[in-house]
Coordinates of all heavy atoms in Angstrom, one line a residue:
V1 N 4.6 5.2 -91.0 CA 5.8 6.1 -91.2 C 5.5 7.4 -90.5 O 4.4 8.0 -90.6 CB 6.0 6.3 -92.7 CG1 7.2 7.2 -92.9 CG2 6.2 5.0 -93.4
F2 N 6.5 7.9 -89.7 CA 6.3 9.1 -88.9 C 7.5 10.0 -89.0 O 8.6 9.5 -89.0 CB 6.1 8.7 -87.4 CG 5.0 7.7 -87.1 CD1 5.2 6.4 -87.1 CD2 3.7 8.2 -86.9 CE1 4.2 5.5 -86.8 CE2 2.7 7.3 -86.6 CZ 2.9 5.9 -86.6
D3 N 7.2 11.3 -89.0 CA 8.3 12.3 -88.8 C 8.5 12.4 -87.2 O 7.6 12.9 -86.5 CB 7.9 13.7 -89.3 CG 8.0 13.7 -90.8 OD1 8.6 12.8 -91.4 OD2 7.5 14.7 -91.5
A4 N 9.6 11.9 -86.8 CA 9.8 11.8 -85.3 C 10.5 13.1 -84.9 O 11.7 13.1 -84.7 CB 10.7 10.6 -85.0
V5 N 9.7 14.1 -84.7 CA 10.3 15.5 -84.4 C 9.6 16.1 -83.2 O 8.4 15.7 -82.9 CB 10.1 16.4 -85.7 CG1 10.9 15.9 -86.8 CG2 8.6 16.5 -86.1
G6 N 10.2 17.1 -82.6 CA 9.6 17.8 -81.6 C 8.7 18.9 -82.1 O 8.8 19.2 -83.3
P7 N 7.9 19.5 -81.3 CA 7.0 20.6 -81.8 C 7.8 21.8 -82.4 O 8.9 22.1 -81.8 CB 6.3 21.0 -80.5 CG 6.4 19.9 -79.6 CD 7.7 19.2 -79.9
V8 N 7.3 22.4 -83.4 CA 8.0 23.6 -84.0 C 7.9 24.7 -83.0 O 6.8 25.0 -82.5 CB 7.3 23.9 -85.3 CG1 8.0 25.2 -85.9 CG2 7.5 22.8 -86.3
T9 N 9.0 25.3 -82.7 CA 9.1 26.3 -81.6 C 9.9 27.5 -82.1 O 11.0 27.3 -82.8 CB 9.8 25.7 -80.4 OG1 9.1 24.5 -80.0 CG2 9.9 26.7 -79.2
P10 N 9.6 28.7 -81.8 CA 10.5 29.9 -82.1 C 11.8 29.7 -81.4 O 11.8 29.3 -80.2 CB 9.7 31.1 -81.6 CG 8.3 30.7 -81.5 CD 8.3 29.2 -81.2
I11 N 12.9 30.0 -82.1 CA 14.2 29.7 -81.5 C 14.4 30.6 -80.3 O 15.1 30.2 -79.3 CB 15.3 29.9 -82.5 CG1 16.6 29.4 -82.0 CG2 15.5 31.4 -83.0 CD1 17.8 29.3 -83.0
G12 N 13.8 31.8 -80.3 CA 13.9 32.6 -79.1 C 13.3 32.0 -77.9 O 13.9 32.0 -76.8
A13 N 12.2 31.3 -78.0 CA 11.5 30.6 -76.9 C 12.4 29.4 -76.5 O 12.5 29.1 -75.3 CB 10.1 30.1 -77.3
L14 N 12.9 28.7 -77.5 CA 13.8 27.5 -77.1 C 15.0 28.0 -76.3 O 15.3 27.4 -75.3 CB 14.2 26.8 -78.4 CG 15.3 25.7 -78.2 CD1 14.8 24.6 -77.4 CD2 15.8 25.2 -79.5
L15 N 15.7 29.0 -76.8 CA 16.9 29.5 -76.1 C 16.5 30.0 -74.7 O 17.3 29.9 -73.8 CB 17.6 30.5 -76.9 CG 18.2 30.0 -78.2 CD1 19.0 31.1 -79.0 CD2 19.1 28.8 -78.0
A16 N 15.4 30.7 -74.6 CA 15.0 31.2 -73.3 C 14.7 30.0 -72.3 O 15.1 30.1 -71.1 CB 13.7 32.0 -73.4
A17 N 14.2 28.9 -72.9 CA 14.0 27.7 -72.0 C 15.3 27.1 -71.6 O 15.5 26.6 -70.5 CB 13.1 26.7 -72.8
V18 N 16.3 27.1 -72.5 CA 17.6 26.6 -72.2 C 18.2 27.4 -71.1 O 18.8 26.9 -70.1 CB 18.5 26.5 -73.4 CG1 19.9 26.2 -73.0 CG2 18.0 25.6 -74.5
A19 N 18.1 28.7 -71.2 CA 18.6 29.6 -70.1 C 17.9 29.3 -68.8 O 18.6 29.3 -67.8 CB 18.4 31.1 -70.5
R20 N 16.6 29.1 -68.8 CA 16.0 28.8 -67.5 C 16.5 27.4 -67.0 O 16.7 27.3 -65.7 CB 14.4 28.7 -67.7 CG 13.8 30.0 -68.0 CD 12.3 30.0 -67.9 NE 11.7 29.1 -68.9 CZ 11.3 29.5 -70.1 NH1 11.5 30.8 -70.4 NH2 10.8 28.7 -70.9
G21 N 16.7 26.5 -67.9 CA 17.2 25.2 -67.4 C 18.6 25.3 -66.8 O 18.9 24.5 -65.9
V22 N 19.4 26.2 -67.3 CA 20.7 26.4 -66.8 C 20.7 27.3 -65.6 O 21.7 27.3 -64.8 CB 21.6 27.0 -67.9 CG1 23.0 27.4 -67.4 CG2 21.8 26.0 -69.1
G23 N 19.7 28.1 -65.4 CA 19.6 29.1 -64.4 C 20.3 30.4 -64.7 O 20.9 31.0 -63.8
A24 N 20.4 30.8 -66.0 CA 21.1 31.9 -66.4 C 20.1 33.0 -66.9 O 19.0 32.7 -67.3 CB 22.1 31.6 -67.5
E25 N 20.6 34.3 -66.8 CA 19.8 35.4 -67.3 C 20.7 36.2 -68.3 O 21.3 37.2 -68.0 CB 19.4 36.3 -66.2 CG 18.4 35.6 -65.2 CD 18.0 36.6 -64.1 OE1 18.4 37.7 -64.1 OE2 17.2 36.1 -63.2
P26 N 20.7 35.7 -69.6 CA 21.6 36.3 -70.6 C 21.0 37.6 -71.1 O 19.8 37.9 -71.0 CB 21.6 35.3 -71.7 CG 20.3 34.6 -71.6 CD 20.0 34.6 -70.1
R27 N 21.9 38.4 -71.7 CA 21.4 39.5 -72.6 C 21.6 39.1 -74.0 O 22.8 39.0 -74.5 CB 22.2 40.8 -72.3 CG 21.9 41.5 -71.0 CD 22.6 42.8 -70.9 NE 24.1 42.7 -70.9 CZ 24.9 42.8 -69.8 NH1 24.3 43.1 -68.6 NH2 26.2 42.7 -69.9
W28 N 20.6 38.7 -74.7 CA 20.7 38.2 -76.0 C 21.0 39.3 -77.0 O 20.5 40.4 -77.0 CB 19.3 37.6 -76.5 CG 18.9 36.4 -75.6 CD1 17.9 36.4 -74.7 CD2 19.5 35.1 -75.6 NE1 17.8 35.1 -74.1 CE2 18.8 34.3 -74.7 CE3 20.5 34.5 -76.3 CZ2 19.1 33.0 -74.4 CZ3 20.9 33.2 -76.0 CH2 20.1 32.4 -75.1
V29 N 22.0 39.0 -77.9 CA 22.4 39.9 -79.0 C 22.0 39.2 -80.3 O 22.8 38.3 -80.7 CB 23.8 40.2 -78.9 CG1 24.2 41.2 -80.1 CG2 24.2 40.8 -77.6
W30 N 20.9 39.6 -80.9 CA 20.4 38.9 -82.1 C 21.1 39.5 -83.3 O 21.1 40.8 -83.5 CB 18.9 39.0 -82.2 CG 18.2 38.2 -81.1 CD1 17.9 38.7 -79.9 CD2 17.9 36.8 -81.2 NE1 17.3 37.7 -79.2 CE2 17.3 36.5 -79.9 CE3 18.0 35.8 -82.1 CZ2 16.8 35.3 -79.6 CZ3 17.5 34.6 -81.8 CH2 17.0 34.3 -80.6
A31 N 21.8 38.7 -84.1 CA 22.5 39.2 -85.3 C 21.8 38.6 -86.6 O 21.6 37.4 -86.6 CB 23.9 38.8 -85.3
A32 N 21.5 39.4 -87.6 CA 20.9 39.0 -88.8 C 21.8 38.0 -89.5 O 23.0 38.0 -89.4 CB 20.5 40.1 -89.7
S33 N 21.2 37.2 -90.4 CA 21.9 36.1 -91.1 C 23.0 36.7 -91.9 O 24.2 36.2 -92.0 CB 21.0 35.3 -92.0 OG 20.1 34.5 -91.2
D34 N 22.7 37.9 -92.6 CA 23.8 38.5 -93.5 C 25.0 39.0 -92.6 O 26.1 38.9 -93.1 CB 23.2 39.6 -94.3 CG 22.6 40.7 -93.6 OD1 22.4 40.6 -92.3 OD2 22.2 41.7 -94.2

């Protein structure tokens, strides 16, 4: 029995990787949950 998951990653690092894959240079605006 296995947890079939990817490595735990900070979401900032994941989104930065997505931006690199797309070839984009965004200005991130981080908004708190509340």
Side-chain angles (χ1 to χ4, degrees):
V1 180
F2 304 92
D3 284 347
V5 296
V8 177
T9 305
I11 193 169
L14 171 65
L15 294 181
V18 173
R20 290 193 296 272
V22 172
E25 296 183 359
R27 289 188 295 255
W28 298 107
V29 180
W30 294 90
S33 290
D34 59 354

